[in-house]
Amino acid sequence: MAKTMKALMKKKPAAGASLEQVPVPTLKAGEVLVKVRAAAICGTDAHIYSWDQWAANRIKPPLIFGHEFCGEIVELGAGVEELQEGDVVSAEGHFTCNRCFFCRTGQGHICEDVEIIGVDTDGCFAEYVRVPQENIWKMDPAIPEEIAAIQDPVGNAVHAALIDEIIGNNVLITGCGPIGLAAIAICRYAGATQIFATDVNQYRLDLARRLGADFAYDVSQVNLVEEVHKETGGRGVDVFLEMAGKEQAINDGFKALRGGGWISLLGITDGDVRLDINDGLIFKGARLYGINGRLMFDTWYKMEALLKTGLDLQPLITHSFSFEEFEEAFELVLSGSCGKVILYP
Amino acid sequence: MAKTMKALMKKKPAAGASLEQVPVPTLKAGEVLVKVRAAAICGTDAHIYSWDQWAANRIKPPLIFGHEFCGEIVELGAGVEELQEGDVVSAEGHFTCNRCFFCRTGQGHICEDVEIIGVDTDGCFAEYVRVPQENIWKMDPAIPEEIAAIQDPVGNAVHAALIDEIIGNNVLITGCGPIGLAAIAICRYAGATQIFATDVNQYRLDLARRLGADFAYDVSQVNLVEEVHKETGGRGVDVFLEMAGKEQAINDGFKALRGGGWISLLGITDGDVRLDINDGLIFKGARLYGINGRLMFDTWYKMEALLKTGLDLQPLITHSFSFEEFEEAFELVLSGSCGKVILYP
Amino acid sequence: MAKTMKALMKKKPAAGASLEQVPVPTLKAGEVLVKVRAAAICGTDAHIYSWDQWAANRIKPPLIFGHEFCGEIVELGAGVEELQEGDVVSAEGHFTCNRCFFCRTGQGHICEDVEIIGVDTDGCFAEYVRVPQENIWKMDPAIPEEIAAIQDPVGNAVHAALIDEIIGNNVLITGCGPIGLAAIAICRYAGATQIFATDVNQYRLDLARRLGADFAYDVSQVNLVEEVHKETGGRGVDVFLEMAGKEQAINDGFKALRGGGWISLLGITDGDVRLDINDGLIFKGARLYGINGRLMFDTWYKMEALLKTGLDLQPLITHSFSFEEFEEAFELVLSGSCGKVILYP
Amino acid sequence: MAKTMKALMKKKPAAGASLEQVPVPTLKAGEVLVKVRAAAICGTDAHIYSWDQWAANRIKPPLIFGHEFCGEIVELGAGVEELQEGDVVSAEGHFTCNRCFFCRTGQGHICEDVEIIGVDTDGCFAEYVRVPQENIWKMDPAIPEEIAAIQDPVGNAVHAALIDEIIGNNVLITGCGPIGLAAIAICRYAGATQIFATDVNQYRLDLARRLGADFAYDVSQVNLVEEVHKETGGRGVDVFLEMAGKEQAINDGFKALRGGGWISLLGITDGDVRLDINDGLIFKGARLYGINGRLMFDTWYKMEALLKTGLDLQPLITHSFSFEEFEEAFELVLSGSCGKVILYP
């Protein structure tokens, strides 16, 4: 095997990135080495690339970033069982402590001592990536590699959408970023009746329709709450999946929700938001779930079942680039006029 | 039976009330006449008495107000079955339409066409009150009449506290008004471990301790979040029952809650509130319930079971007055230095 | 309107039935008269027709039987609001007391004082049928009348299948009577992965495949448990819907279920059954739901949502007859080589 | 430290046991050595002692048996973190694979490749026992050592009783073995209203009353179903916890349960049982949970919370013996006239 590899790195605390030649990682006991076949760019990666305030506070360069990928196991660390060279895999990027209250009660997704690949440790925008065996997810051969590479955000959408009842329910999804778009397809597959999606970007609204939204509203142009009430005979939606992280979207969703409906909050807001919780939550007797990541590994099993039996996310994969074209790829992601963008080594 | 009765009325759209002599109500089919034995003053009644903005928008004088009571059936309207003269009863004060989506799916408490006794129709601050038979709740003889009279707010507390798991959980209750105080006793009875209560009124903090709070904090004096973390080994509380309706209380409760914990929001806020939903709800993977009233009649059955077998709410009844002393009673309620205040005809 | 009507009656405590000319029902307050457009034959009707032990114990001739139907309102009793002549409707056939613990807690489907149309009171195998307004279900115009007529059994299937999670789960359905067949289509629509169905009747196994079963086993020929384990990689099914009412089917389903899976029991057995609950339920940590009827009216709303947006049950309607051909229709139902059989007045 | 220790062993495939001098276990990486302070005898140990059919099939002598204990850590294996010599601990005796579907979805208690201490590997009826660090449960100092030693069966009772709602519910517990007795105390602590317990052993019925049962019936003498209906106004119990493993108990519990109630099945039966599932489960719309062991480690956290804040199980500890007195101890357990029996090294 090669001793060095190319890797997309944040070398200095500043905007941008650079493609470097670095040593191939060496394994500790219990780890495996994965040869990356396809990686995908997350909004988090775009924050790191742009070096915004969050990134400046969190990221310690030098770092290979990237956390969404699939690849093939090419080396096994000491003590690794159940996995083999040649296995096609993806991975859960949250490395949990396995000792805290949360890890010991099936809530590893909110582990109090988590490390995130590509954020706290070297990630997958490289030819090879090092992963603890317990984080590896073996791929069903029926699932194509570019879909395998985006299971992290798709898992977020699965977790947000299937935490309560979808079958036979009307759903409003605010925000058509990749997670919102995946949620549209998941709700469609899960037997939602009407699906209402919102964004302000036409490209994404078109994608929303392709992925199964019955209505895709440009909320800079239409009154969302009026439209939803008109189309639901005045009752409003049964379910509200918030994936925009915008105060206006949250309050609109509160208004569009019927009494007794349920909400998943996934979109992170820029700071505090001013909300009408009286009419929005209390008088409605609504229930609400904060959504952080994916369940480990309940969500992965559920996602695999959906992907194997017909959930079609191909329209979500809109662009692909080589590692060398990373600047173009990140500019595209920052423009918002795309679905998921794949990077190939 | 007497033809007239005394009744505490809001006669004009202005502050105050007056004790009047008015005709005893005549019954329609399916209604019963209840001779009031004890009534209780709700915060809503204080709003009506003070004639604040909410009251001015909602109340149409002349109106007999009051909606918390117990009494004895003295007359049966046509077609009333299953009830008898002499039955000691209380009543659910929400008269539901029985035809809407909510009423037809066991969610009458959020009926879209509800009328509320003492708000939309004549209430219980009178010698007699008229009630539809389906709203009547027959009292178990083991339950004293002043407790029977406060089942409306106690039911709200039961609904808020028992909508998810209490047994073996630490609980924070923000706001020690009567509903918050009742929630303390209910959580204690239901097997909560530590109970943290907050207010800024010493009288109510003392009551909180008597009703079972392990810690009762004056949040104008201490840092609630620090205290809770100190007493819970840094983990925070499992459950947060918000009964203050204050922005600060909500954000403090969000901070005090552990990951994966749950929240009931019951306190109505003065307008919109500015919240940190990222750290408060999303990253924690919290779940939250908006609480509106009581389940009809699931909550009533549950409350009866608790009251019959040992839930002790006597410390919550702090004062009683005759109808004639209503001004003194309302001044006391408005001062906040009381638990529940009973009015006797 | 006509003063008399034809009606299919059980006149004597013996096998068979007779088509009679009888007075059109007269309405009490709160009732409506429905002109029947289509009725469907239930297994219960076949018991009544054959006059088996259950029927002999329960039915008091003379009785117009039949409880599955749709039709048009042609007359309104005193005090009926919200409904109009000309409304196309079906009806929930369980007339509940509205006063018992169950009715007052959203569990009317297990009311302790229920009356069932066509069993305890005159039913729908007639030109006209009398129904309390609160039992009427207004039809969405998008739903065809023969589907509208079978909502009673379809509702049972909806209740049994959607009481817990289907999306992304493998499902075993034992028994392909009409309810089992409907459950196949519902699970397919709700995002089940693999669906395994069983029966011993080839006609019904063919229908099972048409309605969406991936595997339809003649359990007189194959080892069900082995087949299921083979097709699920040894894990077994996530969900087991028992609709055969057979001891063998229950024990086989227990064996086919994976650890932590869930079960709905709907099929009524002939007397007690001998079960392996150790391996079947306890060691598996399974959860199980007894299914009685349909939720009133949660299930009806859910069913309407599914039917309006794409759940296709047309293959389930296999035969239709005029009232005059009732003998042929009942013989067919008793043979088992049919789906739902419709009777037209 | 000593090189040898005394240990209670099953040396040959036959009834009885022998106290032997054997080498102190040597640790593998990730394990700790616990000096046993107190052990408790489980029904499983009695089966092993008596060498019944189950034992003959499952146990491979020579084996140190016993799986309920508490003690002090006296040695740390390589790589053990977070634990220290001197820690007072108990342990979950199910060693899970951490790789199967169940382990990866928070369902380790039904791991498909589990090893049980004292059954599959050497256990705790010895001066020292070897335990993987991840199975160790550190004791809160407020909990006495004999209670710490019985957390395995108490955990089963916590799991069975708190899997659904207890607060404000009537509960029937069939079978007053140690788990049933613990369940009585747990239900009392969790706010059950009436608690009905059954057995045929007077000693245990007396213990049932001491632990909080309102009614303790000798079912060889009274008609349980009639008694329960009499005491519940004809409605029956809301909850049925089956801990006897007897066909009669299960059917009686089914009859005693109200419509819409819930059931935990924990008692293992001798082979198949003949049940009335029509009236017992289906028509009642009941829900039922098979209970296998304890949740890892949700149940342990919950149990700790209860024990720290007031759940009193002292009456459950009825006898104690030295290892040398093991024959007397086992005879007592086999007689049934005891609660938990403690063995001290």
Side-chain angles (χ1 to χ4, degrees):
Chain A
M1 191 162 39
K3 298 228 168 122
T4 65
M5 64 178 189
K6 54 185 171 181
L8 191 59
M9 296 193 73
K10 173 67 66 175
K11 292 200 73 172
K12 290 175 296 189
S18 58
L19 194 59
E20 306 283 340
Q21 198 69 14
V22 299
V24 170
T26 52
L27 299 181
K28 296 184 193 164
E31 294 181 338
V32 301
L33 190 68
V34 179
K35 185 172 198 314
V36 175
R37 286 191 182 171
I41 300 177
C42 174
T44 299
D45 300 318
H47 289 298
I48 296 173
Y49 185 83
S50 307
W51 203 247
D52 65 8
Q53 194 56 51
W54 172 84
N57 289 337
R58 178 70 184 271
I59 303 298
K60 309 285 175 246
L63 178 81
I64 303 170
F65 58 126
H67 55 273
E68 305 178 2
F69 71 101
C70 86
E72 179 186 337
I73 293 180
V74 291
E75 191 184 333
L76 304 178
V80 171
E81 297 170 13
E82 311 263 317
L83 295 172
Q84 298 192 310
E85 292 180 22
D87 284 349
V88 177
V89 302
S90 181
E92 167 59 53
H94 286 210
F95 304 158
T96 58
C97 77
N98 297 337
R99 289 186 298 249
C100 72
F101 166 75
F102 303 101
C103 286
R104 295 189 99 186
T105 55
Q107 305 177 84
H109 64 298
I110 50 172
C111 167
E112 66 192 16
D113 197 18
V114 71
E115 286 205 326
I116 303 179
I117 196 171
V119 172
D120 301 307
T121 70
D122 279 338
C124 70
F125 290 161
E127 287 178 278
Y128 298 94
V129 62
R130 190 170 58 96
V131 183
Q133 63 177 331
E134 70 190 35
N135 282 68
I136 288 292
W137 183 258
K138 286 180 69 169
M139 292 309 305
D140 186 280
I143 301 172
E145 69 188 26
E146 66 274 16
I147 299 297
I150 63 168
Q151 290 176 100
D152 173 305
V154 171
N156 292 358
V158 168
H159 183 198
L162 302 186
I163 199 168
D164 203 323
E165 187 179 61
I166 289 293
I167 173 74
N169 276 340
N170 292 331
V171 184
L172 169 63
I173 298 169
T174 52
C176 289
I179 299 177
L181 291 167
I184 292 169
I186 293 159
C187 289
R188 184 88 291 154
Y189 193 76
T193 49
Q194 292 168 297
I195 299 177
F196 303 88
T198 73
D199 209 295
V200 293
N201 176 312
Q202 286 308 319
Y203 186 95
R204 294 188 157 178
L205 290 169
D206 288 343
L207 272 180
R209 290 183 197 97
R210 288 188 59 199
L211 282 153
D214 299 291
F215 302 91
Y217 298 118
D218 179 346
V219 285
S220 69
Q221 303 297 321
V222 304
N223 183 313
L224 172 64
V225 179
E226 282 180 11
E227 293 295 320
V228 167
H229 281 122
K230 189 177 72 184
E231 298 293 342
T232 57
R235 185 178 302 154
V237 289
D238 305 293
V239 181
F240 166 34
L241 307 180
E242 208 302 297
M243 296 178 166
K246 301 291 182 200
E247 180 179 285
Q248 174 82 28
I250 302 171
N251 279 316
D252 280 357
F254 283 179
K255 286 196 184 77
L257 190 74
R258 73 159 168 86
W262 68 271
I263 300 164
S264 278
L265 285 187
L266 180 143
I268 305 302
T269 59
D270 284 337
D272 295 355
V273 284
R274 182 163 286 278
L275 301 178
D276 176 2
I277 62 169
N278 294 348
D279 287 327
L281 296 172
I282 297 175
F283 295 138
K284 285 191 169 161
R287 59 194 184 282
L288 179 153
Y289 305 91
I291 302 296
N292 184 1
R294 303 147 300 283
L295 300 182
M296 298 165 64
F297 285 87
D298 312 57
T299 302
W300 290 81
Y301 283 102
K302 189 60 68 185
M303 180 164 44
E304 179 182 71
L306 304 186
L307 290 172
K308 277 174 67 176
T309 57
L311 174 64
D312 181 11
L313 295 175
Q314 284 296 344
L316 185 54
I317 311 286
T318 56
H319 300 80
S320 61
F321 297 92
S322 67
F323 274 14
E324 285 73 11
E325 298 166 311
F326 72 87
E327 290 186 332
E328 193 180 345
F330 275 94
E331 290 310 316
L332 177 63
V333 168
L334 289 166
S335 80
S337 291
C338 56
K340 287 302 293 186
V341 174
I342 306 292
L343 290 179
Y344 289 102
Chain B
M1 190 162 40
K3 299 232 168 117
T4 65
M5 65 179 189
K6 55 184 170 181
L8 191 58
M9 296 191 75
K10 173 68 64 174
K11 293 201 74 175
K12 289 175 297 187
S18 58
L19 195 59
E20 306 284 339
Q21 199 70 15
V22 299
V24 170
T26 52
L27 300 181
K28 296 185 193 163
E31 295 181 337
V32 301
L33 191 68
V34 178
K35 184 172 198 314
V36 175
R37 286 191 182 170
I41 300 176
C42 173
T44 300
D45 300 319
H47 290 298
I48 296 173
Y49 184 83
S50 307
W51 203 247
D52 65 8
Q53 194 56 50
W54 172 84
N57 289 336
R58 178 71 184 268
I59 304 298
K60 308 286 174 244
L63 178 82
I64 302 170
F65 59 127
H67 55 273
E68 304 179 3
F69 71 100
C70 86
E72 179 186 339
I73 293 181
V74 291
E75 191 183 334
L76 304 177
V80 172
E81 297 171 14
E82 311 264 317
L83 295 172
Q84 297 192 309
E85 291 181 23
D87 285 348
V88 178
V89 301
S90 181
E92 167 61 52
H94 286 210
F95 303 159
T96 58
C97 77
N98 297 338
R99 290 186 297 248
C100 71
F101 166 74
F102 304 100
C103 286
R104 295 189 100 186
T105 56
Q107 305 177 84
H109 64 298
I110 50 172
C111 167
E112 65 191 18
D113 197 20
V114 71
E115 286 205 327
I116 303 179
I117 196 171
V119 171
D120 300 307
T121 69
D122 278 338
C124 69
F125 290 161
E127 288 178 280
Y128 298 94
V129 60
R130 190 169 61 95
V131 183
Q133 64 177 328
E134 70 190 34
N135 282 66
I136 288 292
W137 184 256
K138 285 180 69 168
M139 292 309 305
D140 186 279
I143 300 172
E145 70 188 24
E146 66 276 15
I147 299 296
I150 64 167
Q151 290 177 99
D152 174 305
V154 171
N156 292 357
V158 168
H159 183 197
L162 302 186
I163 199 168
D164 203 323
E165 188 179 61
I166 288 295
I167 173 75
N169 277 340
N170 291 331
V171 184
L172 167 64
I173 298 168
T174 50
C176 290
I179 298 178
L181 290 167
I184 292 168
I186 292 160
C187 289
R188 184 89 289 154
Y189 192 76
T193 50
Q194 291 168 298
I195 298 176
F196 303 88
T198 72
D199 210 295
V200 292
N201 176 312
Q202 286 308 318
Y203 186 94
R204 292 188 158 178
L205 290 169
D206 288 343
L207 272 181
R209 289 182 197 99
R210 289 188 58 200
L211 282 153
D214 299 292
F215 302 91
Y217 299 117
D218 178 345
V219 285
S220 68
Q221 304 296 321
V222 305
N223 183 314
L224 172 63
V225 179
E226 283 181 10
E227 293 296 320
V228 167
H229 280 122
K230 190 176 71 185
E231 298 295 341
T232 57
R235 184 177 304 153
V237 289
D238 305 293
V239 182
F240 166 34
L241 308 180
E242 208 302 297
M243 297 177 164
K246 301 291 182 199
E247 180 178 285
Q248 174 82 30
I250 301 171
N251 279 316
D252 280 357
F254 282 178
K255 287 196 184 75
L257 190 73
R258 74 158 168 85
W262 68 270
I263 301 164
S264 277
L265 286 187
L266 180 142
I268 304 303
T269 59
D270 284 338
D272 295 355
V273 284
R274 182 163 285 278
L275 301 178
D276 177 1
I277 62 169
N278 294 347
D279 287 325
L281 296 173
I282 296 175
F283 296 138
K284 286 190 170 162
R287 58 194 183 283
L288 179 154
Y289 305 92
I291 301 297
N292 184 0
R294 304 147 300 283
L295 300 182
M296 300 164 62
F297 285 88
D298 312 58
T299 302
W300 290 82
Y301 283 101
K302 187 61 66 185
M303 179 163 45
E304 178 182 70
L306 303 186
L307 290 172
K308 276 174 67 175
T309 57
L311 173 66
D312 181 10
L313 295 174
Q314 284 296 344
L316 185 54
I317 310 287
T318 55
H319 299 80
S320 61
F321 296 92
S322 69
F323 275 13
E324 285 72 12
E325 298 165 312
F326 72 88
E327 290 186 331
E328 193 179 345
F330 275 94
E331 291 309 317
L332 177 62
V333 168
L334 289 165
S335 81
S337 292
C338 55
K340 286 302 294 187
V341 174
I342 306 292
L343 289 180
Y344 289 103
Chain C
M1 192 163 39
K3 297 226 169 125
T4 67
M5 64 178 190
K6 54 185 171 181
L8 191 58
M9 295 192 75
K10 172 68 67 174
K11 293 200 75 173
K12 291 176 296 190
S18 58
L19 195 59
E20 306 283 339
Q21 199 70 14
V22 299
V24 170
T26 51
L27 300 181
K28 296 185 193 164
E31 296 180 338
V32 302
L33 190 69
V34 178
K35 185 171 199 314
V36 175
R37 286 190 181 171
I41 299 177
C42 174
T44 299
D45 301 318
H47 291 298
I48 296 173
Y49 184 83
S50 307
W51 204 247
D52 65 9
Q53 195 55 51
W54 172 83
N57 289 337
R58 178 71 184 269
I59 304 297
K60 309 284 175 246
L63 177 81
I64 303 170
F65 58 127
H67 55 275
E68 305 179 3
F69 71 101
C70 86
E72 179 187 338
I73 293 181
V74 291
E75 191 184 334
L76 304 178
V80 173
E81 297 170 15
E82 311 262 318
L83 295 172
Q84 298 192 310
E85 293 181 21
D87 285 347
V88 177
V89 302
S90 181
E92 167 61 51
H94 286 211
F95 305 158
T96 57
C97 77
N98 297 337
R99 289 186 298 249
C100 72
F101 166 74
F102 304 101
C103 286
R104 294 189 99 187
T105 56
Q107 304 178 84
H109 63 298
I110 50 172
C111 167
E112 66 191 17
D113 197 19
V114 72
E115 287 205 325
I116 302 179
I117 196 171
V119 172
D120 301 307
T121 69
D122 278 337
C124 70
F125 289 161
E127 288 179 279
Y128 298 93
V129 61
R130 188 169 60 96
V131 183
Q133 63 177 330
E134 71 191 34
N135 282 67
I136 288 292
W137 184 258
K138 286 179 70 169
M139 293 309 304
D140 186 280
I143 302 172
E145 71 188 25
E146 66 275 16
I147 300 297
I150 63 168
Q151 290 176 99
D152 174 305
V154 171
N156 292 358
V158 168
H159 184 197
L162 302 186
I163 199 168
D164 203 323
E165 187 180 60
I166 290 293
I167 174 75
N169 277 341
N170 291 330
V171 183
L172 168 63
I173 298 169
T174 51
C176 290
I179 299 178
L181 291 167
I184 292 169
I186 292 160
C187 290
R188 184 87 290 154
Y189 192 76
T193 48
Q194 292 168 296
I195 298 177
F196 303 87
T198 73
D199 209 295
V200 292
N201 177 313
Q202 286 308 319
Y203 186 94
R204 292 190 157 176
L205 290 168
D206 288 343
L207 271 181
R209 291 183 197 98
R210 287 187 60 200
L211 282 153
D214 299 292
F215 304 90
Y217 298 117
D218 179 345
V219 284
S220 70
Q221 303 297 321
V222 304
N223 183 313
L224 173 63
V225 179
E226 283 180 11
E227 293 295 320
V228 167
H229 280 122
K230 189 177 72 185
E231 298 293 342
T232 58
R235 185 177 303 154
V237 289
D238 306 293
V239 181
F240 166 34
L241 307 181
E242 208 302 297
M243 296 178 164
K246 300 291 182 198
E247 180 179 286
Q248 175 83 29
I250 301 171
N251 280 316
D252 280 357
F254 282 179
K255 286 196 184 75
L257 190 73
R258 73 159 168 85
W262 67 270
I263 300 163
S264 277
L265 287 187
L266 180 143
I268 304 303
T269 59
D270 283 339
D272 295 356
V273 284
R274 182 163 285 279
L275 301 178
D276 176 1
I277 63 168
N278 295 346
D279 287 324
L281 296 172
I282 296 175
F283 296 138
K284 286 192 168 161
R287 58 194 184 283
L288 178 154
Y289 305 92
I291 301 297
N292 184 0
R294 303 146 300 282
L295 301 183
M296 298 165 64
F297 285 87
D298 312 56
T299 302
W300 290 81
Y301 282 101
K302 188 61 67 184
M303 180 163 43
E304 178 183 71
L306 303 187
L307 291 172
K308 276 174 66 175
T309 57
L311 173 65
D312 181 11
L313 295 175
Q314 284 296 344
L316 186 53
I317 310 287
T318 55
H319 299 80
S320 61
F321 297 92
S322 68
F323 275 13
E324 284 73 11
E325 300 164 311
F326 73 87
E327 290 186 332
E328 193 181 344
F330 275 95
E331 290 310 316
L332 178 63
V333 168
L334 288 166
S335 80
S337 291
C338 56
K340 286 303 293 186
V341 174
I342 306 293
L343 290 179
Y344 290 102
Chain D
M1 192 162 36
K3 297 228 170 124
T4 64
M5 64 179 189
K6 55 185 170 180
L8 191 58
M9 296 192 74
K10 172 67 65 174
K11 292 201 75 176
K12 290 174 297 188
S18 58
L19 195 58
E20 307 284 339
Q21 199 70 13
V22 299
V24 169
T26 52
L27 300 181
K28 296 185 192 162
E31 294 181 339
V32 302
L33 190 69
V34 178
K35 185 173 198 313
V36 175
R37 287 190 181 170
I41 300 176
C42 174
T44 299
D45 301 318
H47 291 297
I48 296 172
Y49 185 84
S50 309
W51 204 248
D52 64 9
Q53 196 55 52
W54 172 85
N57 289 336
R58 178 70 184 269
I59 304 298
K60 309 286 175 245
L63 178 81
I64 303 170
F65 59 128
H67 55 273
E68 305 179 2
F69 70 101
C70 85
E72 178 186 337
I73 293 180
V74 291
E75 191 184 335
L76 303 178
V80 171
E81 297 171 14
E82 311 263 318
L83 296 172
Q84 299 192 309
E85 293 182 21
D87 285 348
V88 177
V89 302
S90 182
E92 167 59 52
H94 286 211
F95 304 158
T96 57
C97 77
N98 297 337
R99 290 186 297 250
C100 71
F101 166 74
F102 303 102
C103 286
R104 295 189 100 187
T105 56
Q107 304 178 85
H109 64 297
I110 50 173
C111 168
E112 65 191 18
D113 197 20
V114 71
E115 287 205 326
I116 302 179
I117 196 171
V119 172
D120 301 306
T121 70
D122 278 338
C124 69
F125 290 162
E127 288 178 279
Y128 299 93
V129 61
R130 189 169 60 95
V131 183
Q133 63 178 330
E134 70 190 36
N135 282 67
I136 288 292
W137 183 257
K138 286 179 69 169
M139 292 309 305
D140 186 280
I143 300 172
E145 68 188 25
E146 66 275 16
I147 299 297
I150 63 167
Q151 290 176 100
D152 174 305
V154 172
N156 292 358
V158 168
H159 183 196
L162 302 187
I163 200 168
D164 203 323
E165 187 179 62
I166 289 294
I167 173 74
N169 276 340
N170 291 331
V171 183
L172 168 64
I173 298 169
T174 52
C176 291
I179 299 178
L181 291 166
I184 292 169
I186 292 160
C187 290
R188 185 88 290 154
Y189 192 74
T193 49
Q194 292 168 298
I195 298 177
F196 303 87
T198 73
D199 209 296
V200 293
N201 177 312
Q202 286 308 319
Y203 186 94
R204 292 189 157 176
L205 290 169
D206 288 343
L207 271 181
R209 290 182 197 97
R210 287 189 60 201
L211 282 153
D214 299 292
F215 303 89
Y217 299 116
D218 179 346
V219 284
S220 70
Q221 304 297 320
V222 305
N223 183 314
L224 173 63
V225 179
E226 283 180 12
E227 293 296 320
V228 167
H229 280 122
K230 188 177 73 185
E231 298 295 342
T232 57
R235 185 178 302 155
V237 289
D238 306 293
V239 181
F240 165 34
L241 307 180
E242 207 303 296
M243 296 178 164
K246 301 290 183 200
E247 180 179 285
Q248 175 83 28
I250 302 171
N251 279 316
D252 280 356
F254 283 178
K255 286 197 185 76
L257 190 73
R258 72 158 168 86
W262 67 270
I263 300 164
S264 278
L265 287 188
L266 180 143
I268 305 303
T269 59
D270 283 338
D272 294 355
V273 283
R274 182 163 286 279
L275 302 178
D276 176 1
I277 62 169
N278 294 346
D279 287 326
L281 295 173
I282 297 175
F283 296 138
K284 286 192 168 161
R287 58 194 184 283
L288 179 154
Y289 305 92
I291 302 296
N292 183 0
R294 306 146 298 283
L295 300 182
M296 299 165 64
F297 286 87
D298 312 58
T299 302
W300 290 81
Y301 282 101
K302 188 61 66 184
M303 179 164 44
E304 178 183 71
L306 303 186
L307 290 171
K308 276 174 67 175
T309 56
L311 174 65
D312 181 11
L313 295 175
Q314 284 296 345
L316 185 53
I317 311 286
T318 55
H319 300 79
S320 60
F321 297 92
S322 68
F323 274 14
E324 286 72 13
E325 300 165 311
F326 73 86
E327 290 185 333
E328 192 179 345
F330 275 94
E331 290 310 316
L332 178 62
V333 168
L334 289 165
S335 80
S337 291
C338 55
K340 286 301 295 185
V341 174
I342 306 292
L343 289 179
Y344 289 103

